Amino acid sequence: MTALIVCHFVLAAFARPLVRRLGARAFLVLALPPAATTCWALTQWDTAASGSSVDWSWAWMPDYGVSVDLRLDALAEVMVLLASGVGALVLLYCAAYFSDTTPRLAGFAGNLLAFAGAMLALVLSDDLISLYVFWELTTVFSYLLIGYDSEHRHSRRSALQALTVTTLGGLAMLVGFLIIGQEAGTYRISAILADPPPAGTAVEVAVLLILCGALSKSAVWPFSLWLPNAMAAPTPVSAYLHAAAMVKAGVYLVARLAPGFSDVPGWRPVVMVLGAATMLLGGWRALRLNDLKIVLAYGTVSQLGFLTLLAGVGNRDAALAAAVMILGHALFKAPLFLVTGIVDHAAGTRDLRKLSGVGRALPHVCAVAVLAALSMAALPPLLGFAAKEAAFEALLHGDTADRWALGVTVAGSALTVAYTARFVWGAFLRKPGVADTPVHRVGPAFLAAPAALALCGLVLGPGVGWTDRLLSAYADAFPAPAHPYHLALWHGWGTALLLSAVATLGGAVLFAARDRVARLSRRIAWPTADGVFGQLLLGLERLSLQATGFVQRGSLSVYLATTLLVMLAGQLSVLVADRPWHGAPAPRLWDVPLQGAVAALTCAAALLCLTVRRRMKAVVLAGLTGYGAALLFVVQGGPDLALTQFCVETVSMIVFVLVLRRMPVHFQESVSTWRRAVRIPVALAAAATLGVVVWVAAAARVAPPAGAAMVEETAHHGLKDVGATILVDLRAWDTMGESAVLAAAAIGVTSLIYLHRRAEGTAAPTEVRGRTAWSVTTEPLTGVPQGDEGAPERGWLAAGATLAPEHRSVVFEVVTRLLFHPILVLSVYLLFCAENMPGGGFVGGLVAGLALITRYLAGGRFELAEAAPLQPGLFTGLGLFVSTAVALFGLSDGTVLHAWTYHGHLPLIGDYEFGTPVIFDCGVYLLVLGVVLDIVRALGAKIDRQIERAAAEKAAARGAGPETGEATP
């Protein structure tokens, strides 16, 4: 099972080169994983039909009871056959539907196959958390597929609407899953259904939340608005996602959980009422629409309501009817969508008012469509008829609520017959007063997929008994009635057959009066759900704008004061209420007097920041506070922390200086006396409160410190540096998360600077040989040798010639030339010595970044480009990749981030050891180096270009002035 799921995602990752090489024929290769999955599922038919299951479990984190569980039983067997079988045929259909020149085809192909893999994993998942993960993956891939034609606003809006509705439902469902898992003591679905938690308030709330997610996924009212708009997607997406796969996920979840939770109060009313309402509203709406695809979309909404009702009724016969209806619906709705795509391709329109005589021009296409439509209208001998008979029979022998539901389903079935007839009439028959629509011929490859699906519906009508053993294996999870129903095409004359005849006759009457029905439908139509959704979004946007305008005043001091006051109020209320200082040991002022002296100097530097008016002085004083904190680490005996703090503070001060070049020298904000009188007490109170909180938190320890255990564990591995071992081994998860956050923050900041391209190439030859923009910032210097007038000059830096003489410092260039490589060597030394001495990948990356910053300060942006010709994103991405690869490599021994150490011996060097934590630290080193380089390029080199451009424009204006003056009489 896992191999089949992985194959989907792996081949999806190679969709781009496949499409580049094969064009649309790449879909033939991409159809192999779903086809293989279908063959595998067929081999498991007897196992699932006998009531057994195929189970697979992987203990991901056994110490925490976290595992990934897959299970193939009868219901999963049906869903796997649909998701993979229909998926394979749709991919084959895509080979004829698209051309080699279709834009963005590779991304579409990869997303479609990845969706098939996510859907396969969803229906096989046997634990709630895995199910939710793959549930959301289908949401993401459906968003990408619906928004395929992203150049059109309607496609983007439809994709966003589908994402919003299904994601909100999914979040509610996740909360329900967590509650159910806690109440049941396990997240294993099969274990929960075998022994459901007792009904109570928590379980009732959880069930309603889960139903919210299921109903939103299956477009059941009031969440049905997203499905018709999703028809903006290409037709293969509609045929697969919206007929056989994604929209079935919600119905599948209802069917999966019904054996254990259908008796919970609230389950049946929600499922039956909303399912019945959806069936009627969707079918009624389909009678007045003119786009063939939209007609099928609202028909799908109606059928999904019917499926949800059957799956949630909670008895054996209804569950059997739901299972066969799930199968039948996929086998008639998917080919109808595919046929609609063929008609659109051949005729150039889907408007049934403009189509006429297409059936005569495309008889084979018409035959396939009629075959599928007869099954949708539930006419014998198609599978749809057998499924509808089973549904009527199950509801007929139920309780009062079931019989009310029966009446609704009969009415909904009449609507189904009516819009089915309208679809066939509109797509293929001749219409009075409308000329025959010109069409081009359709090849057999284009028609093969819908024909295969429609023929399956025809064959399984008389042969529905072949599926009875498999589908009954699922239905038998419910209490067995006295006379259980068995699937067959003909059950004799009876009430169910009479109701089918009534529904067919009613549908025929509605179709005959289609014009009057359409006018009546438009006259009594409610506001569309799509319009209501748009108004809600507009109102939410306006509310957010007003709230933002009220809160975001553009003053950093106001934001900071608000944050401090909220924190102060919360902490003081807790301190006053709990009085946690009782029994706490009194804090020591210092361990050694030197700590007090350093702390006093640090506080003095912080207070002096309040008195300065120049930005540069404020930066220097703020930097001194950081260096003071580093000195406290030194005094306390934390060299690792001190070294990191010194490097971080140095880089921060340089970045501040680079930014200050484009800012006024003095602070512009004028602070009145009364504002200063308010700010100072707030700041001091916040600082004092935080100090008390830290003291109370430290004094509240009840467990023994973990430091001794970490020291022992570090020594056990033959290491000495506990801090570095914690970062790259014992607490490597934290380091991975912080690294990802650091990379995301740096990319976000620099993206604000680079609005266009992020590349910064090497020096252009003309700029190296001649004058750059920097040389026009001042008047040319006299007496300075130019070109061949002076003696040959040694170039200490690679791009030093791009700087004007007044901007060069020979001493700085020489020092940079001498120290650059030793600093890089020092950074590598700090990287590899971290196991036994102060250092590590983080501080090593900062030191390497400082070496590049030195090159930039000495030689400008071209010197930086020469020193680091590769893009910063390469270092950042490679660092994340290395760290993540090391983490995942640990899975080979059963757990993420499992560490290995290799011991070896080299001649002349002696014994050595090399472990995966060092490789992990190398990833951190590369990531930090990339972040520093990206920031320097954004805040240094990019700002340099802005300054150069402004200087060049000023020089050009100054040079053009005299010429203009001479020309003026």
Side-chain angles (χ1 to χ4, degrees):
M1 288 187 283
T2 53
L4 292 170
I5 295 172
V6 171
C7 284
H8 282 76
F9 292 105
V10 170
L11 196 56
F14 287 94
R16 188 169 298 279
L18 284 174
V19 171
R20 188 183 298 117
R21 183 175 182 83
L22 301 176
R25 290 175 297 169
F27 284 101
L28 303 179
V29 180
L30 297 176
L32 292 177
T37 304
T38 305
C39 295
W40 170 78
L42 289 173
T43 64
Q44 304 299 322
W45 180 288
D46 288 338
T47 301
S50 64
S52 302
S53 63
V54 180
D55 296 283
W56 181 88
S57 181
W58 173 48
W60 180 21
M61 290 183 283
D63 293 341
Y64 297 95
V66 178
S67 62
V68 178
D69 303 301
L70 301 179
R71 178 183 174 89
L72 179 75
D73 58 5
L75 181 60
E77 171 80 7
V78 175
M79 295 301 298
V80 168
L81 287 174
L82 291 181
S84 299
V86 177
L89 290 174
V90 168
L91 286 166
L92 294 176
Y93 174 88
C94 288
Y97 184 85
F98 294 104
S99 66
D100 294 345
T101 58
T102 303
R104 300 178 299 278
L105 186 60
F108 174 86
N111 290 330
L112 187 59
L113 182 59
F115 175 89
M119 189 67 197
L120 173 63
L122 187 156
V123 298
L124 288 174
S125 294
D126 193 37
D127 66 274
L128 295 175
I129 303 303
S130 298
L131 189 148
Y132 172 76
V133 170
F134 292 114
W135 182 283
E136 291 304 322
L137 278 179
T138 61
T139 297
V140 172
F141 288 124
S142 69
Y143 166 77
L144 296 174
L145 291 169
I146 295 171
Y148 161 73
D149 195 4
S150 57
E151 296 178 356
H152 292 80
R153 180 176 178 272
H154 177 62
S155 295
R156 297 194 303 271
R157 183 180 184 276
S158 299
L160 183 61
Q161 186 182 76
L163 180 70
T164 302
V165 174
T166 55
T167 300
L168 290 177
L171 291 174
M173 183 185 72
L174 175 61
V175 177
F177 281 171
L178 295 177
I179 297 174
I180 289 292
Q182 291 299 313
E183 291 293 317
T186 178
Y187 288 93
R188 190 82 178 253
I189 298 176
S190 54
I192 294 174
L193 296 179
D195 184 20
T201 303
V203 173
E204 293 177 17
V205 172
V207 164
L208 293 177
L209 291 173
I210 292 172
L211 287 178
C212 182
L215 299 182
S216 65
K217 197 77 163 182
S218 288
V220 174
W221 191 88
F223 306 107
S224 55
L225 71 159
W226 68 267
L227 181 56
N229 287 331
M231 295 301 109
T235 297
V237 175
S238 302
Y240 186 41
L241 274 68
H242 307 139
M246 177 180 171
V247 294
K248 291 290 198 324
V251 177
Y252 164 77
L253 184 60
V254 172
R256 173 63 72 192
L257 298 181
F261 297 99
S262 59
D263 293 333
V264 173
W267 173 283
R268 277 170 55 91
V270 170
V271 170
M272 296 181 68
V273 171
L274 295 183
T278 304
M279 186 179 187
L280 294 177
L281 293 174
W284 179 253
R285 182 74 185 275
L287 294 179
R288 70 170 187 263
L289 300 172
N290 299 312
D291 188 318
L292 294 176
K293 204 172 176 184
I294 303 299
V295 170
L296 291 179
Y298 276 100
T300 302
V301 170
S302 177
Q303 294 289 316
L304 289 172
F306 185 32
L307 288 171
T308 303
L309 187 153
L310 290 176
V313 165
N315 63 59
R316 189 260 181 201
D317 291 347
L320 180 64
V324 69
M325 182 57 74
I326 290 173
L327 179 63
H329 178 263
L331 294 180
F332 63 67
K333 189 56 65 71
L336 287 175
F337 271 116
L338 296 177
V339 164
T340 301
I342 294 175
V343 171
D344 192 12
H345 257 252
T349 181
R350 299 194 306 257
D351 192 334
L352 57 81
R353 295 168 297 185
K354 300 177 181 178
L355 292 170
S356 180
V358 176
R360 291 176 176 268
L362 302 175
H364 297 93
V365 177
C366 180
V368 171
V370 169
L371 198 60
L374 291 176
S375 184
M376 184 165 69
L379 295 179
L382 281 302
L383 179 61
F385 172 77
K388 190 68 67 65
E389 287 280 292
F392 287 169
E393 194 69 31
L395 296 176
L396 184 64
H397 297 288
D399 56 18
T400 303
D402 292 347
R403 287 191 287 275
W404 276 102
L406 175 62
V408 173
T409 56
V410 172
S413 298
L415 294 174
T416 301
V417 173
Y419 66 68
T420 301
R422 190 166 180 266
F423 172 87
V424 174
W425 166 79
F428 297 102
L429 299 186
R430 281 182 170 172
K431 303 176 183 63
V434 181
D436 286 357
T437 305
V439 297
H440 61 76
R441 292 295 176 182
V442 176
F446 209 174
L447 190 58
L453 292 170
L455 287 174
C456 286
L458 175 62
V459 171
L460 288 179
V464 68
W466 301 337
T467 66
D468 182 72
R469 183 165 167 259
L470 175 68
L471 302 182
S472 295
Y474 158 69
D476 289 340
F478 295 87
H483 303 285
Y485 186 85
H486 292 282
L487 296 174
L489 180 64
W490 178 254
H491 280 275
W493 303 96
T495 307
L497 182 62
L498 176 62
L499 293 176
S500 294
V502 170
T504 303
L505 181 61
V509 171
L510 288 174
F511 172 71
R514 56 187 175 276
D515 293 333
R516 278 179 284 183
V517 170
R519 287 195 297 269
L520 176 63
S521 177
R522 294 188 182 95
R523 188 177 302 118
I524 64 174
W526 295 350
T528 62
D530 184 51
V532 174
F533 180 81
Q535 292 297 324
L536 288 176
L537 285 185
L538 181 60
L540 182 62
E541 182 179 357
R542 289 175 177 174
L543 178 62
S544 62
L545 288 175
Q546 293 176 356
T548 303
F550 176 77
V551 177
Q552 302 288 339
R553 296 293 185 176
S555 173
L556 182 60
S557 58
V558 172
Y559 302 155
L560 185 59
T562 303
T563 303
L564 291 178
L565 286 172
V566 172
M567 182 275 297
L568 195 60
Q571 294 293 345
L572 286 178
S573 61
V574 173
L575 291 175
V576 172
D578 293 345
R579 301 180 182 273
W581 53 80
H582 291 298
R588 299 190 305 273
L589 291 179
W590 53 69
D591 293 328
V592 294
L594 183 57
Q595 289 179 329
V598 174
L601 292 176
T602 303
C603 292
L607 292 174
L608 286 175
C609 290
L610 302 175
T611 64
V612 298
R613 299 288 301 162
R614 297 175 67 91
R615 297 181 187 271
M616 185 61 71
K617 288 183 178 179
V619 168
V620 172
L621 291 172
L624 289 177
T625 62
Y627 287 125
L631 287 175
L632 287 175
F633 293 143
V634 172
V635 175
Q636 190 65 26
D640 271 348
L641 293 175
L643 184 59
T644 303
Q645 179 68 21
F646 277 122
C647 293
V648 169
E649 204 60 47
T650 301
V651 173
S652 300
M653 288 188 64
I654 293 174
V655 170
F656 271 122
V657 171
L658 295 177
V659 173
L660 289 182
R661 294 180 299 164
R662 300 292 288 174
M663 300 183 70
V665 176
H666 297 88
F667 289 106
Q668 301 297 313
E669 185 181 10
S670 59
V671 182
S672 60
T673 304
W674 73 269
R675 286 187 177 181
R676 189 182 298 274
V678 171
R679 292 180 182 181
I680 292 177
V682 171
L684 294 177
T689 303
L690 281 180
V692 172
V693 169
V694 171
W695 163 55
V696 169
R701 182 189 298 274
V702 294
M710 290 185 175
V711 171
E712 181 181 355
E713 183 69 17
T714 303
H716 174 72
H717 290 282
L719 307 177
K720 298 178 182 179
D721 193 334
V722 181
T725 305
I726 291 173
L727 291 176
V728 299
D729 190 355
L730 304 181
R731 299 293 296 274
W733 267 119
D734 293 346
T735 304
M736 279 194 65
E738 292 163 2
S739 299
V741 170
L742 177 64
I747 292 172
V749 170
T750 54
S751 296
L752 297 177
I753 306 297
Y754 287 105
L755 296 180
H756 302 290
R757 296 179 67 243
R758 299 174 64 87
E760 185 70 42
T762 57
T766 55
E767 292 179 308
V768 174
R769 293 194 300 266
R771 288 153 52 90
T772 66
W774 279 105
S775 63
V776 298
T777 57
T778 60
E779 295 295 333
L781 301 179
T782 58
V784 177
Q786 301 289 337
D788 295 333
E789 297 177 8
E793 183 180 356
R794 178 180 175 87
W796 291 96
L797 297 178
T802 61
L803 292 178
E806 65 270 25
H807 293 129
R808 298 186 66 176
S809 171
V810 177
V811 175
F812 194 14
E813 291 182 15
V814 173
V815 171
T816 301
R817 176 66 177 267
L818 295 176
L819 293 183
F820 176 70
H821 295 94
I823 293 176
L824 288 181
V825 173
L826 174 62
S827 72
V828 176
Y829 172 78
L830 291 172
L831 168 64
F832 287 106
C833 76
E835 291 186 337
N836 297 293
M837 298 180 66
F842 189 86
V843 67
L846 288 175
V847 171
L850 285 173
L852 295 175
I853 290 174
T854 305
R855 289 282 294 268
Y856 164 73
L857 294 176
R861 64 184 179 94
F862 289 129
E863 183 66 26
L864 178 63
E866 293 287 347
L870 300 178
Q871 292 300 310
L874 177 63
F875 292 102
T876 304
L878 185 60
L880 280 175
F881 174 79
V882 170
S883 299
T884 306
V886 171
L888 295 178
F889 182 68
L891 291 175
S892 61
D893 195 49
T895 180
V896 178
L897 288 169
H898 179 78
W900 282 276
T901 302
Y902 176 77
H903 298 273
H905 180 83
L906 290 175
L908 302 179
I909 296 178
D911 295 334
Y912 73 94
E913 63 180 35
F914 191 81
T916 51
V918 176
I919 305 176
F920 181 87
D921 220 11
C922 290
V924 176
Y925 175 94
L926 293 173
L927 183 143
V928 173
L929 176 59
V931 167
V932 173
L933 182 59
D934 204 7
I935 291 176
V936 172
R937 284 195 170 185
L939 302 179
K942 185 68 176 179
I943 293 179
D944 284 350
R945 297 187 66 176
Q946 296 174 359
I947 295 175
E948 292 170 8
R949 190 178 300 112
E953 293 174 355
K954 184 185 297 184
R958 187 167 55 244
E963 297 178 5
T964 305
E966 293 174 1
T968 304

